[in-house]
Amino acid sequence: MTTLVPRAPVAAPAKSVTTTAVRQTLLVLGASGDLTGRLLLPGLGALLASGALPGLRLIGSGMDDWDDERWRRRVADSFATVGADGAGESEVIKASRYVRADVTSEEGLRRLLADCAGPLVIFFALPPMVTARAAAALARIGVPPGTRLMLEKPFGVDRISAHSLNNLLATLVPEEQVHRIDHFLGKSTVLNLLGLRFANRIFEPVLNSAHVACVDIVFDETLGLEGRAGYYDGAGALTDMVQSHLLQVLALLAMEPPPSVRAQELRGRTAQVLRAARLWDDDPVVASRRARYTAGEIDGRRLRNYIDEPGVDPARRTETLAEVVLTVDTWRWAGVPFRLRSGKAMSAVRKEAIITFKQAARVPDGLTGYERPDRLRIGFGPDCLALDLNINGPGNPFDLDQVRLTADFGPGELPAYGEVLRGAFEADPTLSVRGDVAEECWRIVEPVLAAWRADEVPLQEYAAGSGGPVDTLLGPVPE
């Protein structure tokens, strides 16, 4: 393996941190839930530690019978995971409050809004159906002018509910004030896709159907359910990962060059891609695969069978691995298969996009060893770039060897959730999912969900700690 040290990491233009003197309020609905402690609060802590949001007022609310002290401990513990322990962060913790309330009732929401001052950001850390009920209650009582709304994926539970939720939110605030959160869009490496594609002349001319054989977008993790049955068993890998995160990565990989990285242009280009995306051969049976892990061992940890995990209902037949093959029906990409895969309890962590190029039209007679194609790899964890090439190796000069040239992307200024939070506080929707895009993502996967509910696609099994089922849609994912 050959390592190249880049002069500077490829990156989308950096945004400066706005340190406005206006004191903002963040109201978290669903403050006692897993999402708040695992993602939201660490991201907020990192954002505060960067010097942003001076004087932020933080209010948490939920149905759990917590008091201020317990909520402050949760905030402090979450902030500590990202080293957010400075004076400013301590002031936010000390002043933060918890209000027990039914966030789907008008009375409960009125009490909460009465406690808020200054520009308001409302974060819905709630399941989709509860989010819809809370938004409906807010629509009946209204919100302060300038309020921004942040919603965690999934946005609705299908295309119809996503459309209904979008219409409801439009009665509350303009679309530009709705921030649908997909923290993959906050990852610095994903944003680096823009710089990689559009600031390097050697790549963009060959990223099309004339030169690309296929594209793989893979997000495999070694973790199992990890106590998240309450959410995950009702969602599964397709809804949790493919319908949201991986489709957003696909859109960035396949989009046409935008004139700028401002929200209107960037989100317009990604929407074009998703409108053109559909299942390969329009057949969910041949273009999708699902599986569920059984008992096994990963790095010395013994994982029980998924259906034996606490809170899992075996009758739901929830998948822990989902794979779909799509086509992007545009002039650039027509005929190129895009495979999206995500699996839990896999043998190794893999978070990358792999662009496999077609092999040379002809190789001169006498050269051997060129069977493996060139590949461009964009890693999302660790954040890196790699290029697999065939070159004349040591020894016999007629034998070609494949080498991998690698470069590390620089770490982001903030963790993913911190980046998307910053966008909301700065009233910048660039990193959020537009309403029509949320609906398109459901349109793409709905035929698969319907086929799976009808048992037209078998639910395979794989041992925890393995590489997944042997059968694949396009052959093994390239190593």
Side-chain angles (χ1 to χ4, degrees), residues 104 124-136 151-152 154 165 168-169:
T104 65
F124 296 79
L126 302 166
M129 300 308 292
V130 182
T131 292
R133 291 167 56 198
L151 294 84
E152 173 62 34
L165 180 60
L168 181 59
L169 296 174

Side-chain angles (χ1 to χ4, degrees), residues 143-398:
V143 295
T147 295
R148 278 152 282 153
L149 309 178
M150 298 186 72
L151 294 84
E152 173 62 34
K153 63 88 182 171
F155 314 115
V157 295
D158 53 29
R159 190 181 187 185
I160 292 174
S161 62
H163 181 71
S164 176
L165 180 60
N166 284 338
N167 288 341
L168 181 59
L169 296 174
T171 67
L172 279 168
V173 298
E175 170 65 23
E176 292 73 21
Q177 291 168 222
V178 179
H179 298 260
R180 298 170 189 84
I181 300 304
D182 188 320
H183 61 272
F184 266 47
L185 297 184
K187 286 186 178 294
S188 295
T189 305
V190 173
L191 293 178
N192 274 332
L193 287 171
L194 302 180
L196 173 67
R197 286 191 58 196
F198 304 128
N200 293 285
R201 190 164 185 168
I202 63 172
F203 291 126
E204 189 59 17
V206 295
L207 293 179
N208 55 57
S209 60
H211 299 283
V212 174
C214 63
V215 178
D216 290 283
I217 302 172
V218 181
F219 194 99
D220 289 345
E221 55 184 342
T222 56
L223 295 176
L225 191 56
E226 307 298 319
R228 296 179 64 212
Y231 162 72
Y232 192 88
D233 198 47
L238 185 67
T239 294
D240 185 47
M241 291 298 304
V242 176
Q243 182 271 339
S244 51
H245 301 319
L246 302 193
L247 282 176
Q248 298 301 326
V249 175
L250 178 149
L252 288 168
L253 278 173
M255 65 186 280
E256 293 300 316
S260 76
V261 294
R262 286 191 289 269
Q264 182 178 5
E265 286 87 0
L266 186 61
R267 300 205 299 174
R269 288 293 196 267
T270 56
Q272 287 178 334
V273 171
L274 293 170
R275 285 196 298 270
R278 56 182 173 82
L279 291 174
W280 191 260
D281 287 339
D282 292 315
D283 188 341
V285 176
V286 301
S288 72
R289 184 172 67 118
R290 59 177 177 157
R292 182 171 63 194
Y293 70 79
T294 59
E297 187 173 299
I298 304 174
D299 297 330
R301 293 184 300 120
R302 187 72 185 172
L303 267 68
R304 71 181 81 189
N305 193 320
Y306 176 82
I307 63 174
D308 294 330
E309 293 276 10
V312 167
D313 180 1
R316 284 197 177 115
R317 294 174 61 77
T318 300
E319 80 286 351
T320 59
L321 181 146
E323 185 175 312
V324 297
V325 179
L326 305 176
T327 180
V328 178
D329 205 8
T330 62
W331 181 90
R332 179 189 290 266
W333 293 111
V336 176
F338 285 75
R339 172 169 51 183
L340 281 56
R341 187 186 85 182
S342 179
K344 280 189 172 297
M346 303 290 278
S347 59
V349 174
R350 292 193 67 185
K351 303 175 183 179
E352 62 179 339
I354 308 163
I355 300 170
T356 300
F357 293 96
K358 295 179 179 179
Q359 292 185 299
R362 188 182 186 282
V363 176
D365 294 339
L367 292 179
T368 60
Y370 50 83
E371 293 80 9
R372 298 177 65 184
D374 302 333
R375 290 190 172 99
L376 177 63
R377 301 168 181 268
I378 302 104
F380 307 130
D383 297 346
C384 61
L385 175 70
L387 183 62
D388 298 344
L389 294 172
N390 293 307
I391 65 171
N392 298 82
N396 187 342
F398 295 98

